[in-house]
Amino acid sequence: MSHDERLPRNRTYLMCPPEHFTVEYAINPWMDTKVAVDAGRALTQWEMLRTTLTGLGHQVHVLDARPGLPDMVYSANGAFSVDGTVYGARFKYPQRAAEAAAHQAFYTSSFAWRYVEPQQVNEGEGDFAYLPGAYGGLVLAGYGFRTDPAAHAEAQEVLGRPVISLKLVDPAFYHLDTALAALDDRHVTYYPDAFSPASQRVLAQLFPDALLADREDAEAFGLNLVSDGRHVILNTEATGMARKVSAAGYLPMPVDLSELKRGGGSVKCAVAELRA
Ligand code: ARG
């Protein structure tokens, strides 16, 4: 990756406080229902993440948490927006199904968005990433654990952007955003072994200059990051990843999200980007 100047771009995000956060069911390998979650701590850590983003000048909308939806804090899963069009989510597991309507209500309450209800199972930005500066605007999409590959074709029709399907093969990295992240408008970082050999080839062809992460980085949720093009917000455990993004010219900003990791998520899972 070349060391051009890394310029930030102002972003708009959507977050949902972990007010009803628990681990009472297990739908990914990180969730252990026998270990209690410290709800107060989760909320303090979440606040820190929010103020880190607002402190950088970004706008953060807050979606009200709803009782009975403990995973709602992972707001990235609720939809995927590109250029003002919102492709809604349809969750794989019934425990999270009602989150989609809460996100839908957020978008349809404003004229800024064209919301499209999905037919196919997909978990929003958990499995979709957008690179506005790559190939004129490219969507990367994961499948294998949550999102149905049929949703990739549906998203392409809804958004009018090419969608590249990538197969995830490691259950520890069940969403695309646990294995790959956009560092800016055209650069990505990813953990190759989270993908099938064929999908690794596709990524290598599209992004020859990608920053490659290793298993340790991925297990520390180092790829579950949010970047504004210059500042890379990632969790404090991901020290190796912080070093790598720093060597590539970005500015790592560590935030402690140890409680959210108990649900199988970190920074990116808790932050949906709104692309008007
Ligand atoms: N417990 C949640 C689930 O398994 C975690 C979601 C993480 N979100 C994400 N964008 N990867 O569905």
Side-chain angles (χ1 to χ4, degrees), residues 27-28 31 71 74 76-77 96 126 146 174-175 177 263-264 269:
I27 55 175
N28 71 57
M31 299 175 88
D71 273 336
Y74 304 108
N77 300 132
R96 299 196 66 186
R146 299 291 179 89
Y174 58 95
H175 272 145
D177 72 2
C269 302

Side-chain angles (χ1 to χ4, degrees), residues 21 25-28 31 71 74-77 91 93 96 99 123 125-127 146 174-178 221 224 260 262-266 268-270:
F21 179 55
Y25 51 79
I27 55 175
N28 71 57
M31 299 175 88
D71 273 336
Y74 304 108
S75 62
N77 300 132
F91 285 83
Y93 294 107
R96 299 196 66 186
E99 294 180 38
E123 299 197 345
E125 275 197 339
D127 274 323
R146 299 291 179 89
Y174 58 95
H175 272 145
L176 182 69
D177 72 2
T178 64
F221 275 84
N224 200 247
L260 288 197
R262 298 178 194 279
S266 194
K268 173 58 216 166
C269 302

Side-chain angles (χ1 to χ4, degrees), residues 172-275:
F173 312 113
Y174 58 95
H175 272 145
L176 182 69
D177 72 2
T178 64
L180 178 147
L183 288 167
D184 55 36
D185 288 354
R186 59 197 178 89
H187 292 114
V188 297
T189 176
Y190 63 94
Y191 169 49
D193 285 345
F195 298 91
S196 69
S199 290
Q200 289 180 37
R201 266 194 69 176
V202 171
L203 283 168
Q205 180 182 327
L206 291 175
F207 302 101
D209 59 355
L211 197 168
L212 298 184
D214 59 25
R215 185 162 193 97
E216 203 183 318
D217 300 325
E219 283 182 340
F221 275 84
L223 289 156
N224 200 247
L225 60 81
V226 167
S227 174
D228 65 9
R230 173 170 181 78
H231 310 98
V232 173
I233 297 101
L234 75 185
N235 84 84
T236 44
E237 238 184 86
T239 51
M241 202 57 208
R243 269 195 304 276
K244 284 174 194 166
V245 299
S246 171
Y250 301 92
L251 209 68
M253 302 192 67
V255 173
D256 187 2
L257 281 184
S258 57
E259 288 310 299
L260 288 197
K261 195 180 183 186
R262 298 178 194 279
S266 194
V267 177
K268 173 58 216 166
C269 302
V271 179
E273 183 166 350
L274 307 183
R275 299 176 199 84

Side-chain angles (χ1 to χ4, degrees), residues 3-251:
H3 291 225
D4 342 315
E5 207 188 339
R6 307 299 188 190
L7 295 174
R9 184 159 58 70
N10 275 327
R11 314 280 174 142
T12 306
Y13 298 116
L14 179 64
M15 295 178 66
C16 176
E19 275 161 18
H20 305 286
F21 179 55
T22 59
V23 178
E24 57 192 44
Y25 51 79
I27 55 175
N28 71 57
W30 302 91
M31 299 175 88
D32 183 349
T33 55
K34 292 182 290 293
V35 181
V37 167
D38 185 333
R41 193 143 175 256
L43 201 56
T44 309
Q45 294 178 340
W46 180 89
E47 276 296 349
M48 208 41 191
L49 174 59
R50 189 174 66 93
T51 54
T52 299
L53 294 170
T54 55
L56 289 169
H58 304 302
Q59 191 182 359
V60 178
H61 292 282
V62 174
L63 192 62
D64 287 337
R66 298 194 182 176
L69 295 175
D71 273 336
M72 214 177 147
V73 60
Y74 304 108
S75 62
N77 300 132
F80 176 56
S81 61
V82 174
D83 293 337
T85 295
V86 184
Y87 177 52
R90 187 162 167 184
F91 285 83
K92 170 157 182 175
Y93 294 107
Q95 293 96 329
R96 299 196 66 186
E99 294 180 38
H103 283 264
Q104 178 172 5
F106 171 82
Y107 292 104
T108 54
S109 72
S110 155
F111 290 112
W113 306 103
R114 180 176 79 94
Y115 183 91
V116 180
E117 228 173 300
Q119 301 298 311
Q120 308 298 337
V121 168
N122 82 88
E123 299 197 345
E125 275 197 339
D127 274 323
F128 287 106
Y130 186 57
L131 281 299
Y135 308 94
L138 192 69
V139 175
L140 301 180
Y143 72 99
F145 297 100
R146 299 291 179 89
T147 295
D148 191 309
H152 298 181
E154 189 176 44
Q156 178 164 290
E157 283 306 305
V158 168
L159 301 169
R161 299 283 180 192
V163 175
I164 302 292
S165 284
L166 301 166
K167 183 175 186 175
L168 296 162
V169 294
D170 185 331
F173 312 113
Y174 58 95
H175 272 145
L176 182 69
D177 72 2
T178 64
L180 178 147
L183 288 167
D184 55 36
D185 288 354
R186 59 197 178 89
H187 292 114
V188 297
T189 176
Y190 63 94
Y191 169 49
D193 285 345
F195 298 91
S196 69
S199 290
Q200 289 180 37
R201 266 194 69 176
V202 171
L203 283 168
Q205 180 182 327
L206 291 175
F207 302 101
D209 59 355
L211 197 168
L212 298 184
D214 59 25
R215 185 162 193 97
E216 203 183 318
D217 300 325
E219 283 182 340
F221 275 84
L223 289 156
N224 200 247
L225 60 81
V226 167
S227 174
D228 65 9
R230 173 170 181 78
H231 310 98
V232 173
I233 297 101
L234 75 185
N235 84 84
T236 44
E237 238 184 86
T239 51
M241 202 57 208
R243 269 195 304 276
K244 284 174 194 166
V245 299
S246 171
Y250 301 92
L251 209 68

